[in-house]
Amino acid sequence: MTVKTCSMIPMLDLKKQIAPIRAEIDAAIEKVIDNTNFILGAEAREFEENAAKYCAVKYAVGVCNGTDAIKLSLLALGIKRGDAVICPSFTYYATAGAIAAIGAIPVFADIDIDTYNIFPESIENILKRNKKYKIKAIIPVHLYGQCADMDGILKIAANFKLKVIEDTAQAFGAEYNGKKAGTIADCGTVSFFPGKNLGAFGDAGMVLTNDKKAADIVRLLSNQGNQERYFHAALGFNNRLDTLQAAVLNVKLKYLDGWNNKRRENALYFDARLKGLALKTPCVAKHTTHIYHQYVLRLNRASAKLVAHLHSKGIDSRVYYPVPLHLQECFKDLGYKKGDFPNSEMAASRTLAIPVYPDLTKDEMEYIVASIKEFIKC
């Protein structure tokens, strides 16, 4: 089968996203420049208020990025050096990296092979067998845009008296049984990296919580431990949310639900057009909505050749993530080996993401489908 070529289709086209709201963003940035309040300006507090209202949560504390949002949440909940924290092996490095950054120990768990989210049964098995670590918390990652099984995770956490931090980097705006992702557990952490569904013009992040004490600690630690200028109550960090980034996010937040709905429409189109092929389209669990940060396919074989085929057709496609964390060189001292988490290893070798961003045209989506069919039928 021969597929008509078209121009390059990226994983995300930020120029298309920004163009219709460029004037609003320029005005917001100009306002910050004019008042020169670049650190902890009014826009930063305004964005915290808007995000808290959007998520229906009591406290939203802006920080410098999603990784440090996890670090600060761990510290706010009392996790200390030498404590252990369970997280999925199949996720981006930042989840486990933030744990290690405070001197705690990542303890990896396997995933549900249908949703790619951490598997409660794997968590429970680890806790029942554990004789090595002082496990104090669980970090479920809401991977690709839908929530993990929070009912199951919270039940386990209650039984073992553990804190729970939701890594909501990829699911800001998704819902779980009517609650916004990031508002279900002790804390939720958010990344506003430019490629996220709600992305800044650089690094930015947030901690969501209904716990005033945790929110106060995050705010204190993120601002050099500074309660009053030059008076430091704790050993803090320079992890503040930049005012310019907050100004941009204030504008973009108004459009987030529309963008997420368009991603859902595009995903439904792909679901229908790819049905019946020798691949698995995304599974949406009953308890959660899906905002399709990524639209991920799984093959019955290694995905690398399909990725290469799509690249040859001018279609960006990527594997998120090709090496699970338990097999990463930086975590080799933890003693994990190949075969420890079979679902994570399968996902790493057999999945790939295709473009699903809101500004895809019908012709581009049809071209992506035709290119996949061409490969599958070869």
Side-chain angles (χ1 to χ4, degrees), residues 113-274:
I113 196 57
D114 289 325
T115 66
Y116 309 111
N117 281 320
I118 194 168
F119 193 30
E121 185 175 326
S122 181
I123 297 172
E124 192 163 31
N125 288 339
I126 289 166
L127 289 164
K128 286 179 178 178
R129 297 195 309 264
N130 175 57
K131 295 180 180 179
K132 184 177 180 182
Y133 297 119
K134 295 185 296 181
I135 298 175
K136 297 293 184 69
I138 306 168
I139 303 181
V141 179
H142 301 324
L143 202 66
Y144 300 146
Q146 69 172 324
C147 292
D149 180 0
M150 291 303 297
D151 285 344
I153 292 165
L154 291 174
K155 182 178 179 181
I156 292 169
N159 289 340
F160 287 88
K161 296 180 172 57
L162 305 177
K163 299 294 186 180
V164 179
I165 298 168
E166 301 169 68
D167 183 339
T168 316
Q170 299 184 12
F172 188 71
E175 293 187 357
Y176 180 91
N177 289 336
K179 292 183 178 180
K180 281 287 195 293
T183 70
I184 304 155
D186 295 289
C187 288
T189 66
V190 187
S191 168
F192 299 116
F193 181 81
K196 296 298 192 290
N197 291 30
L198 179 63
F201 281 8
D203 276 318
M206 180 163 276
V207 175
L208 306 171
T209 186
N210 286 304
D211 183 337
K212 183 179 186 303
K213 181 180 177 181
D216 288 345
I217 294 173
V218 169
R219 193 174 298 283
L220 176 70
L221 294 179
S222 67
N223 188 27
Q224 310 281 21
N226 192 345
Q227 285 182 320
E228 181 182 352
R229 182 173 288 187
Y230 307 128
F231 293 87
H232 302 270
L235 294 173
F237 313 93
N238 185 3
N239 287 162
R240 299 173 297 233
L241 173 63
D242 180 86
T243 306
L244 281 167
Q245 301 302 339
V248 172
L249 290 166
N250 268 322
V251 174
K252 295 181 77 175
L253 180 60
K254 295 181 291 185
Y255 299 94
L256 177 62
D257 284 345
W259 291 335
N260 285 343
N261 287 336
K262 191 63 172 67
R263 285 174 178 268
R264 289 190 189 99
E265 290 178 18
N266 292 348
L268 288 173
Y269 177 87
F270 284 133
D271 287 347
R273 300 288 284 120
L274 296 173

Side-chain angles (χ1 to χ4, degrees), residues 311-329:
H311 285 179
S312 75
K313 298 293 183 179
I315 301 166
D316 198 357
S317 174
R318 304 180 192 179
V319 177
Y320 299 91
Y321 301 91
V323 181
L325 295 182
H326 71 283
L327 300 178
Q328 292 281 356
E329 180 72 14

Side-chain angles (χ1 to χ4, degrees), residues 47-105:
F47 179 60
E48 290 178 339
E49 293 171 355
N50 290 338
K53 183 178 180 181
Y54 175 80
C55 293
V57 69
K58 289 182 180 178
Y59 308 102
V61 184
V63 297
C64 58
N65 57 63
T67 307
D68 284 322
I70 300 172
K71 177 190 74 176
L72 293 165
S73 294
L74 287 165
L75 293 171
L77 295 175
I79 309 305
K80 298 179 176 62
R81 178 175 294 275
D83 291 341
V85 180
I86 295 174
C87 70
S89 178
F90 189 67
T91 184
Y92 182 57
Y93 161 82
T95 311
I99 297 168
I102 66 166
I105 303 162

Side-chain angles (χ1 to χ4, degrees), residues 197 220 247 290 362 366:
N197 291 30
L220 176 70
H290 204 316
K362 185 74 174 292
E366 179 56 36

Side-chain angles (χ1 to χ4, degrees), residues 277-343:
L277 298 182
L279 50 75
K280 182 175 178 58
T281 54
C283 167
V284 182
K286 292 180 180 179
H287 52 255
T288 182
T289 61
H290 204 316
I291 62 167
Y292 294 97
H293 176 60
Q294 304 295 350
Y295 185 91
V296 174
L297 303 172
R298 189 172 81 242
L299 304 181
N300 296 324
R301 48 180 162 157
S303 58
K305 288 185 178 179
L306 177 52
V307 171
H309 171 78
L310 292 175
H311 285 179
S312 75
K313 298 293 183 179
I315 301 166
D316 198 357
S317 174
R318 304 180 192 179
V319 177
Y320 299 91
Y321 301 91
V323 181
L325 295 182
H326 71 283
L327 300 178
Q328 292 281 356
E329 180 72 14
C330 63
F331 295 122
K332 67 179 181 180
D333 291 345
L334 296 176
Y336 293 101
K337 63 185 184 302
K338 191 172 183 179
D340 282 346
F341 302 114
N343 287 352

